[in-house]
Amino acid sequence: MTSLATRAVVNLLYKSPFNPTSSDEPDDAVRDLVEGPESLTPGRALDLGCGHGRHSIYLARNGWDVTGIDLVRDAVATARRKARDAGVAPSLLQGDVTELSRMGIPEGNDLIVDAGCFHGLPARLRDVYVPEVTRIAASDARLLILGLAKHPVLKGIKLDEVRRRFRGWEVISAQSVAGDEMLRYGSGSPMLRKAFEKGWFDPWRYLLRRVDSSTRERG
């Protein structure tokens, strides 16, 4: 369970000038999973740290049954308004991503998107997060983690930890989000853009696939 201190930090960072201005456009990696040459068949999706709903809304528009979760009440309220304006109805909940069982999140999720959520969790909550996410993932599910390997405040997430923690998953790709694409991410906030330029942050995309024991043995 997320402590009051962690909740306070999350809410503070949400209102920080280093938090990027909300975009309605999905991350390129999400778009590729939905519309790319090896796109997934629409099914059940879970959007962890949904923020203002850009991925939940995008997935719902493309035929996915979506549940979005965020710890910040204001973010969820904004996401619900934007979803109504877009004419879609994802399930958008205020909640703790380490308490998926308590929240009644169903199993069988084919796609799980974590946009800036896992990288901010302390180690003790990461220990809870991984089995919770693994439990609700469908066989052969995809998990996309968008996170910072380096951050002046948050713990961050690096590839070696992804490989170590996510047992029952294989890493399909690990991509550094650098250069022009990284600067575009921070274009809505002058302070955030400056932080990227100075190398204070190191954003990455990690794409994982759920595998069962029989698949691992054959591999």
Side-chain angles (χ1 to χ4, degrees):
M1 182 177 183
T2 301
S3 68
L4 291 177
T6 300
R7 289 173 183 265
V9 169
V10 170
N11 279 276
L12 182 63
L13 289 173
Y14 174 75
K15 297 176 181 179
S16 164
F18 289 109
N19 193 38
T21 302
S22 176
S23 169
D24 293 333
E25 293 300 314
D27 186 88
D28 290 346
V30 176
R31 192 187 298 276
D32 188 57
L33 289 170
V34 173
E35 301 182 62
E38 297 182 6
S39 59
L40 303 175
T41 301
R44 181 174 291 161
L46 185 60
D47 183 10
L48 301 176
C50 66
H52 290 175
R54 60 172 179 148
H55 292 134
S56 293
I57 294 168
Y58 170 75
L59 289 166
R61 278 175 164 167
N62 282 275
W64 289 78
D65 179 6
V66 188
T67 298
I69 302 171
D70 203 285
L71 194 62
V72 178
R73 185 184 302 274
D74 289 348
V76 175
T78 299
R80 288 172 177 166
R81 176 180 55 77
K82 288 191 172 189
R84 287 194 299 270
D85 292 345
V88 294
S91 177
L92 297 167
L93 309 173
Q94 183 193 11
D96 187 333
V97 298
T98 66
E99 297 181 346
L100 301 179
S101 298
R102 180 182 293 184
M103 293 179 66
I105 301 301
E107 299 179 6
N109 289 275
D110 305 288
L111 174 60
I112 303 164
V113 177
D114 178 325
C117 188
F118 183 85
H119 73 184
L121 296 176
R124 65 179 181 80
L125 293 182
R126 297 183 185 204
D127 292 340
V128 180
Y129 173 105
V130 174
E132 283 283 277
V133 167
T134 300
R135 181 189 63 80
I136 55 83
S139 175
D140 201 44
R142 300 299 191 275
L143 167 61
L144 176 65
I145 300 176
L146 310 174
L148 300 170
K150 180 170 65 175
H151 190 282
V153 177
L154 303 177
K155 186 174 185 292
I157 176 66
K158 296 183 179 179
L159 178 58
D160 60 347
E161 183 178 2
V162 172
R163 294 189 187 279
R164 174 171 54 84
R165 283 190 178 275
F166 285 87
R167 297 180 180 180
W169 298 81
E170 66 172 348
V171 177
I172 297 175
S173 64
Q175 177 190 14
S176 173
V177 184
D180 292 342
E181 184 175 4
M182 179 178 68
L183 294 177
R184 186 172 70 247
Y185 175 76
S187 62
S189 165
M191 292 184 68
L192 184 62
R193 183 180 180 89
K194 183 177 181 180
F196 278 133
E197 290 173 339
K198 288 183 174 294
W200 295 353
F201 299 146
D202 182 16
W204 282 72
R205 297 183 180 116
Y206 304 105
L207 179 61
L208 290 73
R209 182 173 71 91
R210 180 80 171 94
V211 292
D212 59 25
S213 57
S214 62
T215 301
R216 293 198 299 273
E217 289 170 2
R218 290 197 301 270

